[in-house]
Amino acid sequence: MMENNLDRKNHWEKIYQTKSATDVSWFQSRPSVSLEFIEEFAIPKSEKIIDVGGGDSLLVDYLLELGYQDITVLDISEMALEKAKVRLGEKAARVNWIVADAATFQPTEKYGFWHDRAAFHFLTNEDEIQNYITTIQQNLKPEGVLVIGTFSTNGPTSCSGIEIKQYSETSMSDRLKQFFKKIRCIITDHKTPSESIQQFIFCSFKRLAI
């Protein structure tokens, strides 16, 4: 378990410095589930999209290919984002890159689609969890969509040497019900590059009118 934000940042910088994209357990050649949610909600091509904990994920590549024009990728690891920029080449200039810890991130924009695959479950401290949820509520547009993917209750209990918080459909819905209405949840199995299976739960939400 990380002692503080600096420890957490140093941990992830070391991982991205020492491992290639296809060596990490969370690698996906195509982020199918995330793309299906974007298609389901018919997110407009001009909408502001943020991928929290995006690292050097290929989701941004697919979004650019689909014609999305206002994409932000946030990660605690500067090295992760640098790897993504190198991969994208000239296309990287069309993306907003933010180095920040999801637990303390303070957005300067309002987003229409907030995507988080496997960042939220690293927040195990109650204050950090509540702060993050409040940040989303304050910076998601009134008609915006939130999609969060975490390890399920049948998934791993840690990742990259860090303890995580598992969620079920009920526990995630209860955790976010203060500000968000659940649309739907799906369970999905992710096959890691080492051929092991990790079970995820993905849930989509709409912001409640407050």
Side-chain angles (χ1 to χ4, degrees):
M1 196 166 177
M2 297 289 97
E3 292 179 10
N4 55 46
N5 290 18
L6 182 60
D7 286 345
R8 187 154 57 199
K9 179 174 174 58
N10 290 339
H11 180 87
W12 289 111
E13 294 291 13
K14 184 176 180 181
I15 286 173
Y16 281 105
Q17 286 166 4
T18 56
K19 294 190 175 185
S20 68
T22 54
D23 287 336
V24 294
S25 63
W26 53 89
F27 173 75
Q28 293 176 298
S29 58
R30 186 176 189 276
S32 304
V33 175
S34 302
L35 293 169
E36 285 166 11
F37 275 111
I38 289 168
E39 182 180 357
E40 174 188 345
F41 290 104
I43 305 300
K45 297 295 192 286
S46 59
E47 188 56 273
K48 288 184 181 295
I49 292 176
I50 185 166
D51 184 17
V52 173
D56 62 352
S57 155
L58 298 180
L59 179 61
V60 63
D61 304 55
Y62 283 93
L63 292 176
L64 287 169
E65 191 176 307
L66 289 167
Y68 284 94
Q69 302 152 23
D70 198 334
I71 308 163
T72 296
V73 180
L74 177 145
D75 203 89
I76 195 171
S77 168
E78 186 172 2
M79 176 61 71
L81 300 185
E82 287 303 319
K83 285 186 171 187
K85 290 179 190 178
V86 170
R87 186 185 68 241
L88 286 168
E90 292 180 359
K91 293 180 185 176
R94 292 156 51 190
V95 178
N96 304 308
W97 306 94
I98 298 176
V99 179
D101 188 329
T104 54
F105 173 47
Q106 296 182 313
T108 57
E109 297 185 283
K110 307 290 185 188
Y111 298 97
F113 186 80
W114 189 295
H115 176 266
D116 176 334
R117 174 181 179 260
F120 183 55
H121 67 197
F122 282 108
L123 303 182
T124 56
N125 174 281
E126 180 61 30
D127 289 342
E128 289 187 338
I129 293 170
Q130 187 58 48
N131 182 67
Y132 181 59
I133 293 171
T134 302
T135 297
I136 300 172
Q137 188 272 333
Q138 293 174 344
N139 295 280
L140 187 67
K141 293 179 181 179
E143 299 303 314
V145 175
L146 165 65
V147 171
I148 294 185
T150 71
F151 286 152
S152 76
T153 49
N154 290 320
T157 56
S158 65
C159 178
S160 298
I162 304 177
E163 176 187 336
I164 63 90
K165 186 175 181 64
Q166 297 175 324
Y167 286 91
S168 65
E169 178 168 352
T170 300
S171 63
M172 190 182 293
S173 301
D174 285 349
R175 181 75 259 197
L176 276 76
K177 68 182 180 183
Q178 178 183 3
F179 298 131
F180 301 96
K181 176 187 177 183
K182 183 191 72 184
I183 306 302
R184 74 180 180 105
C185 297
I186 63 167
I187 298 289
T188 181
D189 287 333
H190 166 62
K191 183 183 283 189
T192 72
S194 62
E195 300 288 310
S196 63
I197 300 296
Q198 297 177 335
Q199 191 179 92
F200 275 77
I201 181 165
F202 278 80
C203 293
S204 55
F205 300 87
K206 287 284 187 78
R207 220 187 85 176
L208 294 172
I210 294 179

